[in-house]
Amino acid sequence: MALAEAGARGRLLRWPRVLLFGDSITEYSFQENGWGAYLAERLVRKCDVVNRGISGYNTRWAKLILPRLITESTSADSIVAVTIFFGANDSALKELNPQQHVPLEEYAANLKSMVQYLKSVDVTADRIILITPPPLHESAWEKACLAKGDKLNRCNATTGQYAQACVQVARECCTDVLDLWTLMQKNQDFSSYLSDGLHLSTKGNSFLAAQLWSRLENKLSALPSLLPYWRDVDHTNPEASLL
């Protein structure tokens, strides 16, 4: 059978998508032992896990990008889950990092705007997961800043205010939320979750992956595996199994 004929006979194969939208902590999530890679491995043959992490970005910029990533006419119906993971840059101290800093009230409004946009293109609230920024280990991050010739430009107490705002937005918008800032600090030495005081270590990636999977597993468990297991393909008439 010619490939063109096979294509005409078969239905277009469309993988559902899990969209990871965030800053560098999302962008780096496909690195070795990353939390995004963990999800992709768990969902192979069921979903495409799409990394749309953009290092250094804040919610002010992210809300402008989101409508360019998902539109009702082209892609919203294939989205089975979206994570929105911002705050580590928004919470930078204004006087030391004005380019990335976003005021707390605007941060909350931007998150709410993104959730409302997703709902407007029929990505329902039960498919949206907000993730708070992780806690900041100030002494470790200060070393990273000094190595670049900068002063310490973030503090954990301020990051916590942004995390609380994220949780409140999730409550108001009826979405799920992963309060990473609080959960990681249940371990007294939370520095082990961070590689440089801000970004996740291998242990931090594993922690986030486990927490997120516990929320996604129920949402996605009913999704079928795409295409039959190889032993179930009729080798004498593969078209019957595959088209």
Side-chain angles (χ1 to χ4, degrees), residues 135 137 156 182-193 203:
H137 193 271
N156 192 39
T182 298
L183 289 170
M184 282 188 166
Q185 289 186 95
K186 289 184 177 180
N187 179 338
Q188 289 184 336
D189 183 20
F190 69 87
S191 64
S192 62
Y193 291 128
K203 183 178 178 181

Side-chain angles (χ1 to χ4, degrees), residues 29-129:
S29 72
F30 271 34
Q31 294 179 351
E32 186 176 4
N33 299 314
W35 61 273
Y38 175 95
L39 293 179
E41 181 182 1
R42 291 296 178 278
L43 292 169
V44 69
R45 294 280 297 278
K46 291 193 171 189
C47 294
D48 283 337
V49 178
V50 181
N51 186 336
R52 292 295 179 265
I54 311 166
S55 179
Y57 275 50
N58 56 32
T59 56
R60 183 181 292 163
W61 305 339
K63 74 173 184 178
L64 301 177
I65 298 167
L66 185 59
R68 301 178 64 193
L69 299 179
I70 301 175
T71 63
E72 185 175 20
S73 61
T74 59
S75 58
D77 62 335
S78 69
I79 297 287
V80 291
V82 181
T83 59
I84 300 177
F85 188 5
F86 290 95
N89 298 314
D90 299 69
S91 60
L93 302 175
K94 181 179 180 180
E95 61 274 18
L96 294 171
N97 191 348
Q99 186 175 4
Q100 291 178 302
H101 169 80
V102 171
L104 183 61
E105 289 186 4
E106 183 189 343
Y107 167 74
N110 290 340
L111 285 179
K112 188 175 295 186
S113 175
M114 286 189 274
V115 172
Q116 290 171 341
Y117 172 76
L118 290 172
K119 290 179 178 179
S120 77
V121 294
D122 295 329
V123 178
T124 51
D126 62 311
R127 288 183 275 167
I128 302 168
I129 302 176

